Short mmCIF file of all heavy atoms in Angstrom, two decimals:
data_model
loop_
_atom_site.label_atom_id
_atom_site.label_comp_id
_atom_site.label_asym_id
_atom_site.label_seq_id
_atom_site.Cartn_x
_atom_site.Cartn_y
_atom_site.Cartn_z
N ASP I 487 97.56 79.60 89.07
CA ASP I 487 97.36 81.03 88.83
C ASP I 487 97.59 81.83 90.10
O ASP I 487 97.91 81.29 91.16
CB ASP I 487 95.96 81.27 88.27
CG ASP I 487 94.89 80.72 89.21
OD1 ASP I 487 95.20 80.57 90.42
OD2 ASP I 487 93.77 80.44 88.74
N ARG I 493 96.45 81.43 97.61
CA ARG I 493 95.78 80.51 98.53
C ARG I 493 96.79 79.60 99.20
O ARG I 493 96.81 79.41 100.42
CB ARG I 493 94.73 79.72 97.74
CG ARG I 493 93.80 78.82 98.50
CD ARG I 493 92.63 79.53 99.12
NE ARG I 493 93.22 80.31 100.11
CZ ARG I 493 92.74 81.35 100.82
NH1 ARG I 493 91.71 81.75 100.73
NH2 ARG I 493 93.31 82.05 101.64
N ALA I 524 104.16 87.62 100.36
CA ALA I 524 104.20 88.59 101.46
C ALA I 524 103.86 87.90 102.77
O ALA I 524 103.11 86.93 102.80
CB ALA I 524 103.18 89.69 101.20
N ASN I 526 103.23 88.87 107.10
CA ASN I 526 103.11 89.93 108.10
C ASN I 526 104.29 89.88 109.06
O ASN I 526 104.62 88.82 109.61
CB ASN I 526 101.80 89.75 108.87
CG ASN I 526 101.51 90.97 109.75
OD1 ASN I 526 102.41 91.56 110.32
ND2 ASN I 526 100.25 91.34 109.81
N GLN I 528 104.51 90.67 111.92
CA GLN I 528 104.22 90.31 113.30
C GLN I 528 103.91 88.84 113.46
O GLN I 528 103.71 88.34 114.55
CB GLN I 528 103.01 91.12 113.80
CG GLN I 528 103.35 92.58 114.03
CD GLN I 528 102.30 93.27 114.86
OE1 GLN I 528 101.17 92.82 114.95
NE2 GLN I 528 102.68 94.36 115.48
N THR I 565 108.15 94.56 115.67
CA THR I 565 109.18 95.58 115.76
C THR I 565 110.17 95.23 116.86
O THR I 565 111.02 96.02 117.20
CB THR I 565 108.56 96.94 116.08
OG1 THR I 565 107.72 96.77 117.22
CG2 THR I 565 107.72 97.44 114.92
N ILE I 689 135.47 79.65 156.30
CA ILE I 689 136.17 78.84 157.31
C ILE I 689 137.44 79.55 157.75
O ILE I 689 137.70 79.72 158.94
CB ILE I 689 136.54 77.46 156.73
CG1 ILE I 689 135.27 76.68 156.43
CG2 ILE I 689 137.43 76.68 157.72
CD1 ILE I 689 135.55 75.37 155.73
N LEU I 693 138.32 80.83 161.35
CA LEU I 693 139.53 80.34 162.00
C LEU I 693 140.44 81.50 162.36
O LEU I 693 141.06 81.52 163.43
CB LEU I 693 140.27 79.37 161.09
CG LEU I 693 139.72 77.94 161.06
CD1 LEU I 693 140.55 77.10 160.12
CD2 LEU I 693 139.76 77.34 162.45
N ILE I 696 139.11 83.24 165.39
CA ILE I 696 139.38 82.42 166.57
C ILE I 696 140.87 82.43 166.85
O ILE I 696 141.30 82.54 168.00
CB ILE I 696 138.86 80.99 166.34
CG1 ILE I 696 137.35 81.01 166.32
CG2 ILE I 696 139.37 80.06 167.43
CD1 ILE I 696 136.74 79.70 165.92
N SER H 1323 138.93 75.63 169.68
CA SER H 1323 138.74 76.66 168.66
C SER H 1323 138.67 76.04 167.27
O SER H 1323 137.90 76.48 166.42
CB SER H 1323 139.87 77.68 168.72
OG SER H 1323 141.09 77.01 168.70
N ALA H 1327 135.57 76.34 164.81
CA ALA H 1327 135.71 76.87 163.45
C ALA H 1327 135.09 75.93 162.44
O ALA H 1327 134.38 76.35 161.54
CB ALA H 1327 137.19 77.08 163.13
N CYS H 1331 131.80 76.70 160.05
CA CYS H 1331 131.73 76.77 158.60
C CYS H 1331 130.78 75.74 158.05
O CYS H 1331 130.23 75.90 156.99
CB CYS H 1331 133.11 76.60 157.97
SG CYS H 1331 134.01 75.26 158.68
N GLN H 1365 101.53 98.58 116.94
CA GLN H 1365 102.68 98.83 117.81
C GLN H 1365 102.32 99.85 118.89
O GLN H 1365 102.74 99.72 120.05
CB GLN H 1365 103.88 99.32 116.99
CG GLN H 1365 105.19 99.35 117.76
CD GLN H 1365 105.56 97.97 118.28
OE1 GLN H 1365 105.38 96.95 117.62
NE2 GLN H 1365 106.05 97.92 119.52
N GLY H 1393 100.11 91.26 115.70
CA GLY H 1393 99.05 91.89 114.92
C GLY H 1393 97.84 90.96 114.90
O GLY H 1393 97.86 89.88 115.51
N ASP H 1395 96.72 89.40 112.28
CA ASP H 1395 96.96 88.22 111.45
C ASP H 1395 97.56 87.13 112.32
O ASP H 1395 98.60 87.32 112.94
CB ASP H 1395 97.96 88.57 110.33
CG ASP H 1395 97.34 89.51 109.32
OD1 ASP H 1395 96.13 89.40 109.10
OD2 ASP H 1395 98.08 90.37 108.79
N GLN H 1576 103.99 96.46 104.15
CA GLN H 1576 102.97 95.69 103.45
C GLN H 1576 101.53 96.10 103.76
O GLN H 1576 100.60 95.51 103.26
CB GLN H 1576 103.16 94.20 103.77
CG GLN H 1576 104.51 93.73 103.22
CD GLN H 1576 104.76 92.27 103.50
OE1 GLN H 1576 103.98 91.43 103.06
NE2 GLN H 1576 105.81 91.97 104.24
N LYS H 1721 87.85 83.47 90.55
CA LYS H 1721 87.83 82.02 90.59
C LYS H 1721 86.38 81.52 90.59
O LYS H 1721 86.11 80.39 90.23
CB LYS H 1721 88.54 81.50 91.84
CG LYS H 1721 90.00 81.84 91.90
CD LYS H 1721 90.80 81.19 90.79
CE LYS H 1721 91.00 79.71 91.04
NZ LYS H 1721 91.86 79.11 89.97
#
Side-chain angles (χ1 to χ4, degrees):
Chain I
D487 57 22
R493 186 81 293 165
N526 190 323
Q528 288 196 339
T565 52
I689 295 174
L693 279 180
I696 290 172
Chain H
S1323 51
C1331 46
Q1365 191 59 40
D1395 291 327
Q1576 296 180 60
K1721 296 296 285 183

